[in-house]
Amino acid sequence: MDADGGEEDSRHGGSAVTHQTADELIARCIAPVKIEFLRPPPDRTSSQNDDVSIPKDKAPVLAKEKKSKRQLKRERRQDQKSTKNLCPEISKSGDVNSCRYQDKCRFSHDIEAFKEQKPADLEGECPFLKSEGSCPYGLSCRFLGTHEEGKPLSSNGLERRSEVNGFSKDVQKLLWKNKMTFPKADAVLKSLGLLSKSKGNALENKDGGDKCVQSDDIGSCGVTSELENKDVVDKCHQSDDDDDSFGVIVDSDSKLEGSVEVLKDADVINRELESDVHCPLKRRKTAEDCGVEETKTEGVNVAGQNIDGSCIRSEPEAGTEAITPETDISLKSHSREKKLIDFRDKLYLAPLTTVGNLPFRRVCKVLGADVTCGEMAMCTNLLQGQASEWALLRRHSSEDLFGVQICGAYPDSVARTVELIENECSVDFIDINMGCPIDIVVNKGAGSALLTKPMRMKNVVEVASGTVDIPITIKVRTAYFEGKNRIDSVIADFSSWGTSAVTIHGRSRQQRYSKLPDWDYVYQCTKKAPKNLQVMGNGDVFSFEDWNKHKTECPELATCMIARGALIKPWIFTEIKEQRHWDISSGERLNIFKDFVHFGLQHWGSDTKGVETTRRFLLEWLSYTCRYIPVGLMEVVPQRINWRPPSYYGRDDLETLMASDSAADWVRLSEMLLGKVPDGFTFAPKHKSNAYDRAENG
C-alpha cells in the first residue's frame, strides 16, 4: 500500500481530512483522528524539515567553509585549550597541581576562568550521586550545587561500574600496530580453504613492506584484502532515508586518552569506513624455516619477522596458548556444545543505529524488553581499534540478554572480529547483519549485498560459528531485488552453516521501507526452516494485536523483532506483555523522557559536553515519538505504523507539543529537561523514514 497520497492530504488542506470517513482515511494511509481534535496544519514558509538554525536577525550561512583535516584538528586543539574545557584531573580533584602534564597539558588549568564562563547548573540532582556515591566529573558537573563539599571522589574515576565491555588501551595499541593475533580465526579459515586464497596478492612498496591488494573478483568466496593508505580514507556518511539505517555515529562515551582523533561536528556525525577487508595473517616464520611466505604492513611485520629480514619467534599473548593452525581446528566446539539461547516468545528490541543507544535500551528494558542488541558495528573499524566503534559494544548491567551486531563483507574480517569480541567483551550472542540497505555499506560488499552471493554468506557464517562458542545469529531481508525472493532457497541450510537463529525483515533491499512488509513470505520461510533453527520476523510490529496476529498465523515463528515501533512508542513492550492498548498520558510520556535523560547523563557524562550529547540523542528520538497518536484521540484502534498523522490538538498543551513535527518544538521539550540550548544551537534529524517514499528510491 502506497502512502504518497495520504501524506499530501495530511500536510496540505486540513478540510480534506475532516470530510472523509475513517475507512476513506485509512485507505489513503491517513490516521483517523476524532474530528473534535483536528486542526488546520500549521502554516510554514520554511522547509518541511523545519531545521532549528541561526536566529533571523543574523545573516544565514549559505555554505560551510570546507576545512582540511589539519585545520579541523588545530581548531579542536585550540578549543580544548580554551577556558571552557577544564583539565579532567583538575576538575576531579580541584587541585591545579594534580595534572601530571602541567604546562604541556592540552586542557585549561585556570579554575576561576572556567567557573566564570561555565553555564548555570541544571535543576535536579547529579545522576551519579545515588548510583556511584560520587561524581567523576567534579567541577565540570552541571549539577555541582548538589555535590557534598569536601567529599572525595571515588578512586575509579570515569569508570562506570554498571557498564561493561570497555575498550582496553593495550588491545587498542595492538590493533593500531596490526600486531593482534587471531589463532582461532586463522585456523578455521585455513580448514575451510579460505586463508590460502590471498596468496600472491602482495605488492612490494617503496619502503620494502608488503601491502595487500584487494582482488577485483568480489564475488569469489576467497579472502580478499585492501591496499592500505593512511592518507586516503573512505568516509561513510549516514543515510537519511531509513529509520534503522546503518551508518554509525560517534559515541562520546569513550574517555580513552590518546584515542583516535574523531570529528565531532555538532551537525554532521559521521565515521570512517574503509572497505570491509583486512590483510590476512599468514603462517608465522620460525628461526628454522625462513622460507615461508609472510605479510608485512607499513614496515611492521605481523608474521614475526624484523624489518631487516631476520626471523624472530612470536611470543603468545599473556593467557593465550601458542596454537598452530594445524591443531587449532580441533578445539572447535560442536554446535551441540554451544550455549543455546531460547528466543521464543521473548520481546526483542532490534539493533537501531543512533537512537538504539545504551540509554534508550535501558528505557526499553524498564518498559518490558527481554532481548537487546547493540548498534551495528563495522568489522574493519573494530579491527582498526576505533574507540568510537568499540563504544557501540558497551553493555549495561540491566541488559541480561544482550547481543552485538556486526557487519562485514569477507570471511576473514568477520572471523577475526568475532574472536576479538569473544575475548574482550561480555555478550550472549553475536548477530551478523546481512540486510543493511545503505549504499555505502552495500558497495563494499557487506550488508544486503551478501544476499546476492550465497556462497560467501555460507563462508561468513561458517567461519564465525566455527571460531567462537558464542551463538551466532543473522539478520536478512527477503532478497536484494524486489519480487526476487531468495531467502527461502537457502534457509534450510542456515543451521548446518552454524547459525542458531535468523531474523527475516519482510522487505527487499530495493524496497527499503516503502510498501508493507511481506509477512506471508516470512511465514513461508519459517515453515521451510529446520526445527533447530529459530526464525524471527521483523517489519511494522506496532501493537500487541500485530504481535498476536503473527504468532497466531505462524506458530512456528519464534518471536517478532521490534524496531521502529519501539522508537515511536517504547511502551509497546508493556502493551504486549499486558495485552492492552495503553492510553498513555502526556505526563507519563514525559517521565519516560526524564528516565532517558537520567540514563544519558550517566552514560555520556554530566558535564556540558555530556549534557549536549544527551540533548542531541534525545532530539533524534523525539523526531520519531511525534508520530505517535494517543489512543484516546483515535477513531480506529490500533494505530498502524504507515499511517501519516494529521495535524491535531492534544488533550493538554504538553500532548499537543509532543505531537508537533517541528524541530523547534522538539528543542522546547529538550529545554524542559536539560535547560536552555547553547547560543548558535542547530538541529536537524539525521534519520528520516522512507516508509512514505516511492519504491524506486531504494
Side-chain angles (χ1 to χ4, degrees):
M1 185 183 296
D2 202 338
D4 291 336
E7 179 185 5
E8 184 71 18
D9 284 344
S10 67
R11 292 177 179 176
H12 304 287
S15 60
V17 176
T18 58
H19 290 89
Q20 298 181 46
T21 65
D23 291 339
E24 290 174 336
L25 293 172
I26 292 174
R28 304 181 67 177
C29 290
I30 303 174
V33 175
K34 294 178 181 178
I35 191 171
E36 59 266 29
F37 294 104
L38 291 174
R39 68 172 181 177
D43 183 18
R44 293 185 186 142
T45 56
S46 60
S47 64
Q48 179 63 28
N49 293 334
D50 197 20
D51 299 353
V52 178
S53 58
I54 301 173
K56 295 181 180 179
D57 56 343
K58 297 183 180 180
V61 178
L62 299 180
K64 285 188 175 181
E65 178 187 357
K66 190 172 182 180
K67 300 178 181 179
S68 65
K69 291 183 179 180
R70 181 175 299 178
Q71 185 177 359
L72 290 170
K73 183 177 181 180
R74 187 186 305 113
E75 290 179 357
R76 287 196 303 271
R77 293 287 187 181
Q78 292 174 351
D79 184 65
Q80 289 174 340
K81 196 68 177 177
S82 66
T83 56
K84 68 179 182 181
N85 285 284
L86 187 65
C87 175
E89 291 297 325
I90 295 177
S91 178
K92 286 169 50 180
S93 63
D95 181 9
V96 293
N97 297 319
S98 59
C99 178
R100 59 178 177 174
Y101 299 105
Q102 294 300 321
D103 295 338
K104 296 181 180 180
C105 181
R106 57 180 176 171
F107 297 100
S108 172
H109 287 191
D110 192 339
I111 296 179
E112 295 302 323
F114 170 77
K115 289 182 178 180
E116 289 179 2
Q117 58 81 43
K118 181 187 174 185
D121 282 358
L122 300 177
E123 295 182 3
E125 190 177 87
C126 177
F128 293 100
L129 295 182
K130 288 186 178 180
S131 60
E132 299 189 14
S134 59
C135 177
Y137 291 90
L139 298 175
S140 299
C141 180
R142 293 290 300 277
F143 302 88
L144 182 61
T146 63
H147 292 187
E148 297 182 24
E149 293 186 6
K151 186 174 182 179
L153 291 168
S154 58
S155 59
N156 65 349
L158 291 177
E159 295 179 3
R160 296 169 177 80
R161 289 169 289 183
S162 58
E163 294 185 13
V164 297
N165 296 349
F167 190 28
S168 167
K169 294 172 71 173
D170 294 335
V171 173
Q172 185 181 42
K173 291 177 181 178
L174 288 174
L175 293 172
W176 282 351
K177 298 177 181 179
N178 204 14
K179 289 186 176 180
M180 180 67 72
T181 58
F182 304 94
K184 289 184 178 180
D186 290 346
V188 174
L189 287 166
K190 183 174 182 180
S191 70
L192 295 175
L194 299 175
L195 192 63
S196 60
K197 296 281 186 176
S198 60
K199 287 185 178 181
N201 275 351
L203 176 66
E204 189 80 11
N205 64 13
K206 293 181 180 180
D207 300 326
D210 292 332
K211 292 187 177 182
C212 294
V213 181
Q214 182 173 353
S215 171
D216 292 331
D217 182 15
I218 62 172
S220 65
C221 299
V223 179
T224 58
S225 52
E226 177 187 27
L227 181 62
E228 297 182 351
N229 191 327
K230 293 185 177 180
D231 299 324
V232 181
V233 182
D234 294 329
K235 293 291 184 178
C236 174
H237 293 282
Q238 176 81 28
S239 174
D240 288 337
D241 53 10
D242 285 293
D243 273 353
D244 49 348
S245 55
F246 298 84
V248 183
I249 52 87
V250 173
D251 191 329
S252 61
D253 174 69
S254 176
K255 303 293 182 181
L256 296 175
E257 295 181 5
S259 60
V260 179
E261 289 287 338
V262 180
L263 294 180
K264 298 177 181 176
D265 186 280
D267 299 310
V268 181
I269 308 175
N270 57 24
R271 66 192 176 100
E272 296 180 350
L273 172 67
E274 294 189 4
S275 296
D276 192 11
V277 290
H278 196 271
C279 293
L281 301 179
K282 306 286 176 58
R283 182 179 176 182
R284 293 173 179 164
K285 287 188 177 182
T286 63
E288 295 78 16
D289 181 14
C290 290
V292 182
E293 189 176 355
E294 58 170 351
T295 301
K296 290 185 288 183
T297 304
E298 292 292 298
V300 178
N301 191 328
V302 296
Q305 185 180 19
N306 289 329
I307 304 226
D308 58 4
S310 60
C311 296
I312 60 172
R313 187 180 298 273
S314 299
E315 294 294 333
E317 297 181 32
T320 304
E321 297 181 5
I323 305 175
T324 61
E326 289 77 10
T327 60
D328 200 21
I329 191 60
S330 64
L331 298 180
K332 173 185 175 182
S333 299
H334 192 277
S335 59
R336 291 192 298 267
E337 298 176 3
K338 291 191 175 185
K339 174 186 175 183
L340 298 178
I341 297 178
D342 186 7
F343 290 100
R344 298 188 182 278
D345 299 324
K346 289 184 171 61
L347 303 184
Y348 191 161
L349 173 64
L352 302 163
T353 298
T354 301
V355 190
N357 47 63
L358 185 146
F360 176 77
R361 299 198 304 268
R362 290 185 64 182
V363 168
C364 292
K365 285 295 296 182
V366 172
L367 293 171
D370 298 318
V371 184
T372 55
C373 188
E375 303 172 58
M376 190 192 75
M378 299 303 299
C379 291
T380 302
N381 294 341
L382 293 174
L383 293 173
Q384 289 174 348
Q386 293 186 12
S388 60
E389 203 80 359
W390 278 89
L392 303 177
L393 309 184
R394 292 190 72 92
R395 172 185 189 173
H396 191 264
S397 58
S398 63
E399 298 180 273
D400 49 351
L401 189 51
F402 173 76
V404 296
Q405 187 181 73
I406 61 174
C407 185
Y410 300 99
D412 62 333
S413 59
V414 172
R416 289 162 184 161
T417 300
V418 297
E419 180 177 352
L420 194 58
I421 291 175
E422 183 182 49
N423 293 337
E424 301 299 325
C425 299
S426 170
V427 298
D428 297 305
F429 63 94
I430 298 176
D431 186 66
I432 302 176
N433 187 298
M434 297 184 179
C436 171
I438 302 305
D439 293 339
I440 191 67
V441 175
V442 172
N443 292 342
K444 303 296 183 182
S448 55
L450 291 171
L451 299 176
T452 64
K453 303 183 184 300
M455 285 304 297
R456 193 187 296 178
M457 282 181 67
K458 175 184 177 182
N459 289 335
V460 166
V461 175
E462 281 186 338
V463 298
S465 61
T467 301
V468 297
D469 296 330
I470 301 173
I472 299 295
T473 65
I474 60 176
K475 188 172 187 291
V476 299
R477 288 187 172 231
T478 58
Y480 190 89
F481 295 107
E482 189 173 358
K484 298 181 179 179
N485 299 320
R486 300 187 58 138
I487 292 302
D488 62 320
S489 64
V490 294
I491 194 168
D493 301 320
F494 282 163
S495 60
S496 63
W497 294 352
T499 184
S500 59
V502 57
T503 301
I504 304 176
H505 185 176
R507 293 183 173 97
S508 65
R509 187 261 172 178
Q510 184 183 23
Q511 185 181 349
R512 295 286 182 96
Y513 290 89
S514 62
K515 301 184 180 180
L516 298 178
D518 188 354
W519 275 93
D520 290 336
Y521 181 73
V522 175
Y523 302 156
Q524 175 187 342
C525 293
T526 303
K527 293 174 182 177
K528 284 187 176 182
K531 292 186 177 180
N532 61 343
L533 177 68
Q534 300 178 76
V535 181
M536 297 173 278
N538 176 222
D540 294 1
V541 177
F542 200 45
S543 68
F544 77 89
E545 292 185 7
D546 293 335
W547 172 278
N548 294 345
K549 176 186 176 182
H550 299 319
K551 291 289 293 178
T552 302
E553 294 186 359
C554 185
E556 297 87 354
L557 201 66
T559 188
C560 298
M561 181 182 283
I562 303 173
R564 287 183 297 161
L567 293 179
I568 298 172
K569 58 171 191 179
W571 52 90
I572 185 176
F573 302 105
T574 304
E575 290 186 339
I576 294 173
K577 286 191 172 181
E578 298 181 0
Q579 291 290 290
R580 66 184 177 100
H581 297 298
W582 184 0
D583 189 10
I584 188 170
S585 67
S586 59
E588 290 172 318
R589 292 169 67 185
L590 185 64
N591 288 333
I592 292 176
F593 295 145
K594 287 180 179 178
D595 287 342
F596 175 84
V597 168
H598 180 76
F599 297 152
L601 293 174
Q602 286 184 336
H603 181 63
W604 291 300
S606 60
D607 58 347
T608 298
K609 179 182 177 182
V611 168
E612 294 311 312
T613 302
T614 303
R615 187 192 306 276
R616 288 281 175 179
F617 285 105
L618 173 64
L619 291 172
E620 293 286 355
W621 184 24
L622 291 175
S623 68
Y624 294 106
T625 60
C626 66
R627 304 179 196 175
Y628 171 72
I629 304 175
V631 173
L633 277 61
M634 297 287 294
E635 286 189 12
V636 177
V637 176
Q639 177 186 355
R640 301 297 178 185
I641 201 169
N642 66 320
W643 290 353
R644 178 68 76 185
S647 182
Y648 65 91
Y649 292 105
R651 291 166 291 190
D652 54 50
D653 292 340
L654 181 58
E655 194 167 72
T656 303
L657 183 64
M658 291 178 174
S660 173
D661 62 353
S662 167
D665 289 329
W666 306 335
V667 171
R668 288 177 57 195
L669 278 170
S670 77
E671 290 181 330
M672 296 170 60
L673 303 170
L674 291 167
K676 292 292 183 181
V677 297
D679 294 336
F681 180 87
T682 62
F683 174 77
K686 280 173 53 61
H687 293 254
K688 300 169 187 175
S689 173
N690 196 34
Y692 309 98
D693 290 344
R694 295 178 176 84
E696 54 264 28
N697 291 344

